[in-house]
Amino acid sequence: MGWHLLGKVDFRIPMSPLAVRLDALFGQTTHQSNLQGHSQLLGGLANLVWNIPSAAPMIKPYLLGGGGLYNFKITIPRSVSTRLRPNSRGTWEGERPLGRVRRASSPRRGM
């Protein structure tokens, strides 16, 4: 069981087809195994959005690209083990009309 909180804010640039989009996410889930505890995910993305002009008013194509950071943490009760260290990763994102592309980079050494 768990929950997620998502948020999005768009800032349009006046007289321009460009906009800035900020996405944020926080979620927590309990472990579905014999292991007690929970996992948390905290993240954010900043994207530049290009709204492509279209002759059809019902269709609003756009291209999106940007980057962000995600932090993943697993908490286990002390009776089982100690809390694991958070794992942060950078990410990049791109979106086109036919689907979304997202890639998380490898964690940096020493984290």
Side-chain angles (χ1 to χ4, degrees):
M1 255 339 214
W3 55 272
H4 294 277
L5 178 64
L6 306 169
K8 178 188 97 155
V9 178
D10 289 313
F11 298 99
R12 297 198 180 272
I13 299 172
M15 307 292 290
S16 170
L18 298 177
V20 175
R21 176 176 164 173
L22 303 175
D23 296 297
L25 137 72
F26 181 78
Q28 180 170 306
T29 57
T30 55
H31 299 152
Q32 298 292 317
S33 65
N34 294 337
L35 186 64
Q36 295 179 352
H38 63 272
S39 300
Q40 290 180 339
L41 179 64
L42 172 67
L45 287 163
N47 293 292
L48 186 62
V49 181
W50 176 41
N51 296 298
I52 302 168
S54 172
M58 299 291 285
I59 299 173
K60 297 182 180 182
Y62 64 92
L63 291 176
L64 174 141
L69 185 67
Y70 285 96
N71 181 277
F72 181 74
K73 180 172 67 174
I74 299 173
T75 302
I76 302 170
R78 288 203 184 272
S79 61
V80 177
S81 177
T82 59
R83 187 170 77 182
L84 299 178
R85 209 153 70 185
N87 182 4
S88 295
R89 291 181 180 210
T91 186
W92 61 266
E93 174 180 60
E95 191 168 307
R96 56 191 189 281
L98 299 177
R100 186 171 222 154
V101 177
R102 185 175 278 174
R103 179 189 176 283
S105 66
S106 300
R108 292 187 293 176
R109 302 249 184 240
M111 290 192 96

